[in-house]
Amino acid sequence: MSELDRRRFLVAVAATVAVTGVSWCSAGGPKETVARAEVPGSAPSPAAPLLPPLLSPPDRASRVLLPGGTVLTKLPGNGDLLAWTVDDGADAEVVRLYTQFAKDTGVRLTYFVTGSYRSWTEHAALLRPLVESGQIQLANHTWTHPDLTKLSASQVADELSRTAAFLRNTYGVDAAPYFRPPYGHHNAEVDRVAAELGYQVPTLWSGDLRDSAALSEDQIVRMALQAFTPQNIVIGHLNHPAVTRVYGQLVDVIRARKLRTVTLNDVFLRPEIPYRTSQPS
Ligand SMILES: [Zn+2]
């Protein structure tokens, strides 16, 4: 993106904020937001992209209890939080670049891992410290990405259990209680089997980068302008490289709107129903 394009983009972000800011901006008015977003002096040169650190997550004491059995689509209440989640991991290079992006900016992400992709083994060393610090949370997106509603109960259990075991063994974490059914397809039987394994929270979304298909960079940015709004759970994908070339613009949207990125563990205490411990087996 040229400097001129970038300035035009920042002005476009500011305009969007100005139009929608009044209804959601909880801290600071839209005027302030516009003034900040229109400052072009901070635009980076292409050789040295500026990815400034993002706002910190809320204090852990403000976490709320998420009752078991909830289908999660959005964060509760009126706030300034954005739960940016990314799925699958079909392209190992995209997993690497997303993780490096998190490392560079402090953006907090939840990865819904499809365990059979080699990305998750290949980039474990890069990812592990961010998982251990809590900046990136790992959740369960099955082993082979099937439509769970078309499987038997034992096949559903196998899909979730294999990824659970992989995440325990590779990262030492318990991905429960969050699982995302591929394609968002689930039903009472899928939820029952999942809950028996500790996955009591089918996690869907309220905003979508629509990059499960190979979108252009501009399309992804346009989707982010729609999706990055307060309290949204946004779904993106670790499958196509276009998103890795627009990180600067995506961060600009988050900064201009004064959103705080959060993992699900930043927002919720675990359900009171007992679940498995995170001891590697
Ligand atoms: Zn998926």
Side-chain angles (χ1 to χ4, degrees):
M1 173 178 265
S2 72
E3 175 102 348
L4 182 60
D5 283 346
R6 185 183 170 86
R7 288 179 190 206
R8 283 184 182 142
F9 170 75
L10 286 172
V11 171
V13 171
T16 309
V17 169
V19 168
T20 60
V22 177
S23 60
W24 50 255
C25 198
S26 58
K31 250 185 209 163
E32 189 186 342
T33 309
V34 172
R36 179 183 183 144
E38 278 175 346
V39 174
S42 62
S45 70
L50 179 69
L51 296 174
L54 292 163
L55 294 170
S56 302
D59 192 281
R60 289 179 73 75
S62 65
R63 287 177 297 163
V64 296
L65 190 67
L66 180 67
T70 305
V71 177
L72 197 58
T73 54
K74 200 171 164 74
L75 302 179
N78 299 310
D80 57 1
L81 306 181
L82 174 68
W84 184 350
T85 69
V86 280
D87 291 12
D88 307 344
D91 185 325
E93 185 61 3
V94 177
V95 170
R96 185 182 75 78
L97 289 169
Y98 241 107
T99 306
Q100 188 61 45
F101 163 60
K103 207 172 159 181
D104 292 343
T105 58
V107 67
R108 299 178 78 79
L109 299 167
T110 304
Y111 286 179
F112 280 90
V113 171
T114 300
S116 64
Y117 288 125
R118 67 183 173 87
S119 317
W120 302 112
T121 306
E122 201 166 293
H123 297 304
L126 175 68
L127 186 48
R128 200 174 284 118
L130 284 85
V131 171
E132 284 170 0
S133 76
Q135 186 186 337
I136 292 179
Q137 179 179 344
L138 302 180
N140 196 323
H141 194 40
T142 75
W143 186 250
T144 64
H145 208 273
D147 179 343
L148 294 175
T149 65
K150 296 196 158 50
L151 302 187
S152 70
S154 68
Q155 287 170 320
V156 170
D158 188 57
E159 283 286 335
L160 292 170
S161 300
R162 286 184 76 176
T163 290
F166 171 77
L167 293 175
R168 268 199 308 277
N169 294 334
T170 309
Y171 296 95
V173 295
D174 181 5
Y178 303 101
F179 80 103
R180 177 167 285 158
Y183 320 103
H185 292 176
H186 69 119
N187 57 27
E189 176 68 355
V190 167
D191 293 353
R192 183 191 64 76
V193 173
E196 279 179 3
L197 297 168
Y199 289 97
Q200 298 127 1
V201 187
T203 307
L204 303 182
W205 55 90
S206 43
D208 191 346
L209 295 182
R210 303 251 170 115
D211 61 349
S212 56
L215 294 193
S216 72
E217 292 154 30
D218 284 352
Q219 285 173 313
I220 292 169
V221 173
R222 273 201 296 279
M223 294 318 302
L225 284 166
Q226 289 179 33
F228 287 174
T229 58
Q231 307 304 102
N232 256 5
I233 296 174
V234 174
I235 181 176
H237 292 84
L238 295 156
N239 301 349
H240 303 288
V243 66
T244 69
R245 296 190 287 265
V246 292
Y247 288 142
Q249 289 98 303
L250 300 186
V251 167
D252 282 341
V253 175
I254 292 169
R255 283 174 60 84
R257 295 179 175 180
K258 295 190 164 96
L259 294 169
R260 293 188 286 172
T261 57
V262 286
T263 67
L264 300 173
N265 282 338
D266 289 334
V267 178
F268 298 111
L269 294 160
R270 301 237 179 167
E272 282 175 322
I273 303 165
Y275 57 91
R276 287 154 190 261
T277 66
S278 59
Q279 292 304 309
S281 55

